[in-house]
Amino acid sequence: MTGRDWLWQNCHVPLHTWEFTRSTAEALFRRTGFRVAEFRRRHDVSNERREKLIEFLYVPSRLLTLPPLSRLFGTRLEFLIQKQ
């Protein structure tokens, strides 16, 4: 657990996306001539097999996959944008 492999799995590198806040992303879209047509949040957790201790650390993250929590607190921001 003290090796680096667990960090790569937990952060989903290279799948982990560093993202803007919603307001910062929307401001960037506006400045570049786009408008946000739709927005949603979601949260995905990899289903890969892990050691039991590491799997235990994923429990809070798995709660975010529940639809009501995912819509409010999901870590993936998805925008549908249109050129103005």
Side-chain angles (χ1 to χ4, degrees), residues 30-69:
R30 278 192 302 277
R31 281 194 304 238
T32 56
F34 291 90
R35 75 171 194 84
V36 176
E38 288 187 43
F39 169 79
R40 72 179 180 189
R41 287 182 175 269
R42 37 179 253 200
H43 188 78
D44 298 321
V45 176
S46 172
N47 287 324
E48 64 195 52
R49 311 258 299 146
R50 298 175 198 87
E51 295 178 31
K52 289 187 189 274
L53 182 57
I54 297 296
E55 190 62 38
F56 177 74
L57 296 175
Y58 271 79
V59 170
S61 185
R62 290 202 182 280
L63 291 175
L64 286 177
T65 63
L66 298 172
L69 295 177

